[in-house]
């Protein structure tokens, strides 16, 4: 006869906190939490002591004080009478500008190089390999310095562009690369809609109208394509859509530009300098080109890996189903390759945005140059400036990775 | 049989082999397949050829007219003009030759150049049992080259012949060890961190020795408390060295320095520069960031909410800000965060920041590796009855780290490239700090390209060999049969 032995009933013992797996993780967490709080309190206490010892306080009042310095390149109205906060905003917009344009060029370069590297052409594939390896294995700071040196040392003076001078402009006399700036055409609207004042800065209504029209055209194209698919599903015949889709993508923009009286203001040499176009500083050009080509090399590898990750069988299966090469690419290869490509691609965008803080090497006044540079030095508010700068970069990064997470969730393989 | 005779002609012997048509053999076939297989490819080939031609036409005269011996940029130009006529351009590598020491050592005292050189040589010896444990051939080649390099460099660095001979004996001894029992070199690996710090910064030998002794103390504490269970012994093994470093070390060192002085000439951090600085920061960052990254990755996958939260917060914060802002924190804000009066070394501060930065990235790479492991591995480890640390150490991490090798090595490459950013907190990195200060001298004003090309080539060699090594490692560790 089996005797059921009751387990000995005991109260809670202190040693269970360490040896009983039910409580142990709680103990560890409490200890870690206490250590973390103590560490944080120690840092804050030190900071308060140190601030007091230097006769400083911790406040952001300096942001509303007159800045007193000029910023060469700015997207919004600013002069030396503006506040430090506005200087910070100008810097932030400059950071965003170089990051955005950098991402565009880097993707263009990266996709081209990545596909060419997969080419069966031996020579081209080797050349692209050299480009990728050289750019990836050398610090980006070197590329920034080299591009800056090329532009400031090897480019001609604006003077050299006069009649009979030694230099000539590029692209049908529209772009002039000089040793101080690059003069590019200025987009102008003769029947402009004016600007919208949203309180902090002005937004060009022309640009807004253009974006709205292009987006509307794109949606219209999607509707047309969806209808074509519906017709195909119903009748088996797919209506011809290519001319509709081309027209919907291009015509609205062209018509809007025409309605607004779009024309280019070409730069021309007046005295010692170019006027009539936009003079983009070499600091910006060097940073932009260097960041784009450097990041482009990484993107090329990502694109190559993404395309190679899709097995050949997928293409063959699509052909076996009777899809033509274009539709095979659109419907079979790209959706799968993009799932592999997009996440690392966005993390490259993140890297490019963070690397844009290397503007410090060229003198381009981005967020680091204004808030973390001149403002910091003028006001002597290291703690506030650097913390605020890190916070802004952090928010930017979190926004970009938030977009990535949304995308990842939307393309994730649905497992059941 | 009769059919045989009715045929008009039957070939009885086999035809001799003929060469394939010209267009289907050798170089022509290769070119048809790889360069001119279609209209697009033909165009691409010609574009590529044009690019090569253009680059050669523009830059090869400049390279061919290189000048290696001159005292200034002006002298270089005069030599090129005299040799190749008016208007010719030529590279002036004399700047590298003239300022070689500056690029390599910064303002490190001249008579002590042998110390960083020897530290670099010993680094390879210390790393050999870890990096090249598998292949004796590769190991002996690498170590042989390093030894020859040291033997050639030492007389050039004004080291007395007697000391060079002593070094030769030591090197031969270590080479013999590396040939016969490579694992015994692990002793060098263990003491190398303290040794390298001592050789680079000099000063009392007791400082690095006692700091390294902290690890021994931790080990002893672990041994002593092992019977009380894992968690207590791990706690003791962490706490004891920390207490030692914070409170125990300073008095003991003062005592030892007074009774047994063992100091060599000290070198202050401001004197560091050039590749000595880059390699110091790079190697320290690489060595420290890997364990920290692994711990962070494990913490991020922990079941414990608080641990996971802290790890996520740390990783996302570090990855979300540019390295340059962290370097500003190191140079400007640490004075606020630390107790009044603390003022510790700028290179150490930079190393801490660079390490944290790389560790956050490595944590993400390793997390990817951990996530890529099949769940069965975790379950198998559990069903064997292994506890958490044993399971991680014996089953999970070896596989996860193997998957993560390419990502980890590219993080290391990124770290090494990022060492150039220290110029923005006032250190003399080889790329901008040294180059600017060389170019600030009267003789070398206006030499733009040569220093950049030189420094770029060295970085390329370092990083390219790191990426090739990671490929070799991947092949070596491959266990599946494909």
């Amino acid at each position: 006869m089996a005797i059921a032995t009751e387990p000995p009933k005991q109260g809670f013992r202190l040693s269970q906190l360490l040896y009983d797996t039910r409580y142990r993780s709680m103990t560890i967490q409490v200890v870690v939490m206490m250590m973390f709080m103590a560490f944080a309190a120690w840092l804050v206490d030190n900071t308060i002591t140190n601030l007091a010892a230097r006769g400083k306080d911790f406040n952001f009042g300096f942001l509303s004080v007159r800045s007193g310095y000029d910023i060469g390149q700015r997207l919004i109205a600013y002069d030396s009478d503006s506040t430090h906060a506005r200087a910070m905003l100008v810097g932030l917009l400059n950071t965003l500008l170089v990051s955005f344009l950098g991402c565009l060029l880097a993707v263009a370069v990266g996709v081209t190089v990545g596909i060419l590297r997969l080419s069966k052409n031996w020579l081209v594939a080797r050349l692209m390999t050299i480009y990728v390896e050289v750019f990836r294995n050398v610090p980006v700071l070197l590329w920034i310095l080299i591009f800056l040196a090329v532009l400031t040392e090897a480019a001609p003076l604006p003077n050299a562009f006069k009649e009979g001078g030694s230099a000539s402009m590029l692209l049908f006399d529209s772009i002039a690369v000089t040793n101080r700036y690059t003069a590019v055409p200025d987009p102008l609207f003769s029947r402009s809609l004016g600007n919208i004042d949203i309180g902090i800065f002005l937004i060009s209504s022309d640009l807004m109208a253009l974006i709205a029209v292009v987006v509307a055209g794109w949606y219209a194209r999607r509707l047309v394509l969806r209808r074509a698919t519906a017709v195909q599903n119903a009748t088996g015949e797919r209506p011809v859509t290519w001319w509709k889709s081309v027209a919907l993508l291009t015509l609205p923009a062209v018509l809007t530009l025409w309605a607004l009286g779009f024309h280019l203001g070409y730069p021309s040499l007046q005295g010692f300098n170019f006027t009539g176009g936009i003079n983009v500083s070499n600091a910006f050009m060097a940073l932009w080109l260097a960041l784009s080509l450097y990041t482009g090399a990484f993107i090329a590898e990502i694109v190559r890996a993404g395309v190679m990750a899709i097995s050949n069988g997928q293409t063959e299966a699509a052909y076996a189903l009777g899809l033509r090469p274009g539709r095979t690419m659109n419907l079979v290869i790209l959706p799968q390759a993009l799932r592999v490509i997009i996440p690392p691609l966005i993390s490259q965008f993140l890297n490019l945005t963070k690397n844009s803080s290397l503007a410090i090497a060229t003198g381009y006044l981005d967020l680091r140059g204004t808030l973390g540079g001149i403002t910091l030095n003028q006001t002597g508010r290291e703690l506030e400036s650097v913390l605020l700068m890190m916070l802004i970069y952090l928010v930017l990064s979190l926004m970009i990775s938030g977009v990535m997470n949304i995308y990842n969730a939307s393309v994730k393989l649905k497992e059941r | 049989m009769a059919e045989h005779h009715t045929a008009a002609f039957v070939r009885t012997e086999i035809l001799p082999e003929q060469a394939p048509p010209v267009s289907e053999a050798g170089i022509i076939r290769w070119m048809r397949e790889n360069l001119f297989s279609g209209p697009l490819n033909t165009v691409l080939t010609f574009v590529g050829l044009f690019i090569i031609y253009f680059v050669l036409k523009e830059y090869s005269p400049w390279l061919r007219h290189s000048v290696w011996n001159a005292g200034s940029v002006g002298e270089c130009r005069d030599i090129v003009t005299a040799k190749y006529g008016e208007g010719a351009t030529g590279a002036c590598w004399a700047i590298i030759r003239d300022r070689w020491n500056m690029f390599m050592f910064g303002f490190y005292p001249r008579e002590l150049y042998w110390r960083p050189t020897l530290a670099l040589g010993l680094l390879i010896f210390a790393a050999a049992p870890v990096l090249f444990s598998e292949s004796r051939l590769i190991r002996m080649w690498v170590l042989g080259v390093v030894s020859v390099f040291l033997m050639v460099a030492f007389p050039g660095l004004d080291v007395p012949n007697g000391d060079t001979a002593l070094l030769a004996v030591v090197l031969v001894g270590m080479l013999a060890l590396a040939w016969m029992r490579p694992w015994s070199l692990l002793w060098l690996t263990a003491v190398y961190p303290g040794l390298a710090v001592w050789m680079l910064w000099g000063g009392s030998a007791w400082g690095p020795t006692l700091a390294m002794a902290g690890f021994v103390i931790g080990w002893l504490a672990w041994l002593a408390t092992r019977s009380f269970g894992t968690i207590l012994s791990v706690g003791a093994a962490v706490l004891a060295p920390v207490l030692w470093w914070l409170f125990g070390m300073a008095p003991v060192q003062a005592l030892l320095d007074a009774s047994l002085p063992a100091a060599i000439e000290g070198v202050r951090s401001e004197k560091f520069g050039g590749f000595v600085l880059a390699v110091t920061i790079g190697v320290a960052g690489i060595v420290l960031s890997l364990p920290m990254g692994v711990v962070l990755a494990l913490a991020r996958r922990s079941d414990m909410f608080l641990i996971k939260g802290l790890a996520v917060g740390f990783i996302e914060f570090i990855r979300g800000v540019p390295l340059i802002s962290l370097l500003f924190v190191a140079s400007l804000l640490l004075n606020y965060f630390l107790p009044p009066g603390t003022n510790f070394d700028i290179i150490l501060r930079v190393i801490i920041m660079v390490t944290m930065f790389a560790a956050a990235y490595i944590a993400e790479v390793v997390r990817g590796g951990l996530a890529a492991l099949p769940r069965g591995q975790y379950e198998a480890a559990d069903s064997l009855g292994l506890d958490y640390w044993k399971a991680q150490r014996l089953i999970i991490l070896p596989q996860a780290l193997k998957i993560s090798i390419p990502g980890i090595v590219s993080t290391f490459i990124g770290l090494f490239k990022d060492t150039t950013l220290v110029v923005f907190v006032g250190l003399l990195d080889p790329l901008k700090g040294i180059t600017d200060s060389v170019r600030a001298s009267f003789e070398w004003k206006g030499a733009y390209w040569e220093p950049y090309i030189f420094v770029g080539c060295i970085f390329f060699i370092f990083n390219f060999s790191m990426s090739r090594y990671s490929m070799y490692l991947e092949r070596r560790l491959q266990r599946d049969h494909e």
Side-chain angles (χ1 to χ4, degrees):
Chain A
M1 190 179 143
I3 301 168
T5 49
E6 286 282 302
K9 282 232 162 79
Q10 281 183 342
F12 180 76
R13 281 159 300 133
L14 217 51
S15 63
Q16 273 181 300
L17 284 179
L18 273 186
Y19 297 117
D20 190 327
T21 45
R22 283 173 299 176
Y23 305 109
R24 189 163 62 190
S25 71
M26 205 44 97
T27 319
I28 296 177
Q29 295 192 56
V30 169
V31 169
V32 167
M33 194 64 202
M34 275 168 16
M35 277 162 60
F36 176 72
M37 301 283 264
F39 180 69
W42 182 72
L43 285 186
V44 171
D45 180 58
N46 283 337
T47 311
I48 291 171
T49 320
N50 282 317
L51 280 173
R54 282 159 220 218
K56 288 182 176 178
D57 56 354
F58 185 78
N59 79 53
F60 288 91
F62 72 95
L63 285 176
S64 54
V65 176
R66 177 180 178 276
S67 67
Y69 61 90
D70 270 315
I71 298 176
Q73 184 188 318
R74 51 187 184 259
L75 293 176
I76 58 175
Y78 171 87
D79 59 34
S80 56
D81 284 330
S82 309
T83 60
H84 281 298
R86 195 162 178 85
M88 178 182 93
L89 185 64
V90 174
L92 175 61
L93 287 176
N94 279 351
T95 292
L96 290 177
L97 176 73
V98 75
S99 309
F100 178 70
L101 293 179
C103 288
L104 284 187
L105 185 59
V107 167
V109 170
V111 170
T112 315
V113 172
I115 289 174
L116 282 182
R117 226 192 136 178
L118 286 168
S119 144
K120 287 203 185 75
N121 189 316
W122 183 86
L123 183 71
V124 170
R126 288 300 169 289
L127 278 178
M128 294 304 138
T129 308
I130 292 175
Y131 160 75
V132 168
E133 291 295 346
V134 165
F135 268 82
R136 283 201 314 167
N137 284 318
V138 170
V140 60
L141 182 60
L142 180 78
W143 295 119
I144 294 176
L145 293 175
I146 284 188
F147 275 100
L148 192 65
V150 167
L151 287 173
T152 55
E153 299 302 318
L157 279 165
N159 248 344
F161 287 89
K162 63 175 182 273
E163 285 297 317
S166 54
S168 57
M169 293 167 72
L170 306 169
L171 285 180
F172 311 111
D173 276 2
S174 61
I175 296 175
V177 181
T178 77
N179 68 347
R180 275 185 285 157
Y181 48 77
T182 301
V184 295
D186 189 6
L188 296 171
F189 299 94
S190 53
R191 292 183 286 275
S192 174
L193 299 174
N195 294 320
I196 314 167
D197 193 345
I198 60 161
I200 311 171
F201 49 81
L202 304 173
I203 294 179
S204 157
S205 326
D206 307 316
L207 186 65
M208 287 292 130
L210 199 58
I211 292 175
V213 167
V214 169
V215 170
W218 192 71
Y219 266 101
R221 171 177 170 267
R222 258 182 49 171
L223 276 183
V224 167
L225 289 184
R226 202 172 287 169
R227 245 200 80 222
T229 312
V231 170
Q232 187 182 16
N233 287 345
T235 65
E237 287 287 319
R238 189 176 176 83
V240 178
T241 54
W242 67 266
W243 57 271
K244 282 184 206 161
S245 107
V246 168
L248 280 174
L249 284 183
T250 53
L251 267 187
V254 172
L255 285 177
T256 317
L257 284 177
W258 176 77
L260 293 174
F262 175 80
H263 60 280
L264 289 174
Y266 288 104
S268 61
L269 193 64
Q270 303 286 330
F272 291 106
N273 275 311
F274 278 93
T275 52
I278 301 177
N279 292 346
V280 185
S281 69
N282 274 345
F284 173 84
M285 290 300 287
L287 185 68
W288 176 54
L289 291 175
L291 285 179
S292 312
L293 289 179
Y294 178 77
T295 314
F298 287 88
I299 293 180
E301 282 301 90
I302 292 170
V303 169
R304 188 172 77 110
V307 174
M308 278 167 66
I310 308 306
S311 77
N312 214 13
Q314 297 285 329
T315 317
E316 288 164 1
Y319 287 165
L321 286 175
L323 293 180
R324 273 165 292 143
R327 290 178 69 74
T328 303
M329 199 48 150
N330 276 335
L331 298 176
V332 179
I333 307 297
L334 270 188
Q336 298 185 71
L338 283 183
R339 186 181 293 141
V340 184
I341 291 174
I342 297 277
L345 184 69
I346 292 187
S347 105
Q348 286 304 323
F349 291 167
L350 211 62
N351 282 346
L352 193 148
T353 309
K354 285 189 290 170
N355 279 339
S356 73
S357 61
L358 292 181
I360 188 173
T362 68
Y364 176 65
L365 285 179
D366 67 337
L367 181 64
R368 211 252 13 124
T370 55
L371 177 65
I374 304 180
T375 294
L376 185 155
N377 289 332
Q378 278 190 1
T379 59
R381 298 270 178 184
E382 298 101 76
L383 194 60
E384 293 91 335
S385 300
V386 173
L387 288 183
L388 185 59
M389 180 176 81
M390 289 170 83
L391 184 71
I392 293 176
Y393 274 116
L394 190 61
V395 170
L396 267 184
S397 304
L398 290 182
M399 271 161 47
I400 296 178
S401 47
V403 171
M404 174 168 83
N405 288 342
I406 294 173
Y407 174 83
N408 274 346
S410 73
V411 301
K412 200 169 71 179
L413 283 177
K414 306 286 185 293
E415 287 180 24
R416 284 177 196 92
Chain B
M1 296 299 278
E3 290 87 358
H4 274 280
H5 300 285
T6 56
F9 171 75
V10 173
R11 189 186 296 284
T12 49
E13 78 281 11
I14 198 156
L15 273 180
E17 240 176 57
Q18 288 202 339
V22 181
S23 62
E24 284 301 322
I27 182 111
I28 294 186
R29 176 183 173 191
W30 183 86
M31 279 172 61
R32 272 171 56 123
E33 278 182 359
N34 292 301
L35 296 179
F36 305 104
S37 59
L40 180 67
N41 261 341
T42 311
V43 172
L44 282 177
T45 304
F46 280 116
V47 171
L49 284 176
F50 175 75
I51 291 174
I52 295 174
Y53 165 76
F54 179 79
V55 169
L56 285 182
K57 186 182 134 263
E58 288 290 305
Y59 300 106
S60 74
W62 185 75
L63 275 179
R64 267 188 287 121
H65 301 166
S66 293
V67 176
W68 295 90
N69 257 323
S72 69
V73 171
E75 214 175 293
C76 266
R77 283 191 193 130
D78 292 345
I79 294 174
V80 171
T81 313
K83 262 192 182 166
Y84 305 101
E86 203 63 46
T89 55
C92 186
W93 302 111
I95 180 176
I96 309 297
R97 193 190 166 100
D98 192 53
R99 296 301 167 97
W100 173 266
N101 288 338
M102 189 76 175
F103 280 106
M104 289 298 141
F105 301 99
F107 290 101
Y108 209 88
R110 212 190 131 61
E111 66 280 7
L112 300 179
Y113 281 170
W114 63 273
R115 273 171 26 187
T117 313
L118 184 59
L120 179 67
L122 288 183
L123 169 70
I124 313 289
F125 272 94
V130 184
L131 296 187
F132 310 109
S133 59
E134 203 98 325
S135 156
R136 178 184 280 171
L137 183 73
I138 297 178
R139 185 169 65 235
M140 293 318 289
W141 260 107
V142 171
L143 294 184
V145 168
V146 170
S147 307
V148 170
F149 160 75
L150 283 180
M151 294 318 295
V152 172
F154 259 51
L157 297 175
D158 305 330
V159 178
N161 285 335
D163 294 351
T164 310
L166 185 68
L167 175 74
V169 173
V170 173
L171 285 181
V172 168
M174 288 200 299
L175 282 176
L177 271 184
W179 176 269
M180 290 181 300
R181 298 172 49 194
W183 293 109
S184 56
L185 277 179
L186 276 178
W187 282 106
L188 179 65
T189 316
V191 300
Y192 182 79
L195 188 65
V197 167
W198 185 51
M199 277 170 42
L200 286 173
W201 277 273
S204 163
W206 292 116
T209 315
L210 293 176
M212 295 291 287
F215 293 104
V216 181
I217 289 175
W219 180 63
L220 289 177
W222 185 74
L223 279 188
T225 53
R226 198 162 48 158
S227 52
F228 299 105
T230 320
I231 198 150
L232 273 188
S233 60
V234 168
V238 173
L239 199 61
V242 170
L243 286 178
W244 163 253
W245 285 322
L246 285 181
F247 305 110
M249 215 177 96
V252 177
Q253 190 186 343
L255 192 72
L256 281 171
D257 276 338
S259 53
L260 279 171
I264 55 175
E265 193 180 329
V267 180
R268 290 156 52 83
S269 284
E270 294 86 78
K271 302 277 184 194
F272 280 58
F275 281 100
V276 166
L277 181 73
V279 173
T280 305
I281 296 176
V283 171
I286 285 174
V287 170
L288 296 173
S289 65
L290 183 59
M292 186 173 170
V294 172
V295 169
L296 277 175
L298 290 179
R300 191 168 182 172
R301 284 178 65 87
S302 163
D303 297 331
M304 290 182 253
F305 174 73
L306 268 173
I307 308 269
K308 184 177 174 170
L310 286 177
V312 170
F314 180 84
I315 293 172
E316 291 305 326
F317 170 70
I318 297 279
R319 276 163 35 100
V321 299
L323 176 59
I324 207 166
S325 65
L326 289 176
L327 292 178
F328 279 142
V329 170
S331 75
L332 295 173
L333 299 196
L334 275 194
N335 290 338
Y336 286 99
F337 294 149
L338 295 177
T342 4
N343 189 13
F344 74 100
D345 191 81
I346 179 74
I347 293 186
L348 184 59
R349 291 192 229 172
V350 165
I351 287 178
I352 292 175
M353 287 300 164
V354 168
T355 304
M356 287 188 349
F357 191 72
Y361 280 84
I362 288 180
E364 284 300 276
V365 172
V366 174
R367 185 170 74 113
L370 289 171
L373 268 198
R375 269 196 70 77
Q377 296 292 327
Y378 291 87
E379 288 161 0
D382 284 345
S383 70
L384 284 176
L386 298 178
D387 67 14
Y388 178 78
W389 289 108
K390 280 208 179 101
Q392 297 297 332
R393 191 161 53 85
L394 299 173
I395 312 274
I396 309 298
L397 279 181
Q399 301 183 67
L401 288 180
K402 195 178 86 178
I403 305 175
S404 324
I405 287 173
I408 291 177
V409 174
S410 45
T411 312
F412 286 164
I413 292 177
L415 186 156
F416 191 59
K417 286 188 292 186
D418 283 343
T419 58
T420 51
L421 302 191
V422 299
V423 67
F424 298 120
V425 293
L427 291 173
L428 287 171
D429 83 303
L431 178 54
K432 189 166 156 64
I434 294 289
T435 306
D436 282 355
S437 73
V438 166
R439 218 182 283 127
S441 70
F442 177 70
E443 303 93 61
W444 299 114
K445 213 172 158 88
Y448 274 94
W449 314 112
E450 295 86 351
Y452 287 153
I453 294 174
F454 168 69
V455 174
C457 283
I458 299 216
F459 269 102
F460 181 84
I461 292 170
F462 271 110
N463 294 333
F464 192 68
S465 24
M466 268 196 258
S467 70
R468 291 295 125 158
Y469 177 77
S470 94
M471 289 181 187
Y472 155 77
L473 200 60
E474 266 181 274
R475 272 201 311 278
R476 202 185 89 186
L477 295 178
Q478 196 165 30
R479 290 286 181 269
D480 49 352
H481 307 282
E482 283 185 24

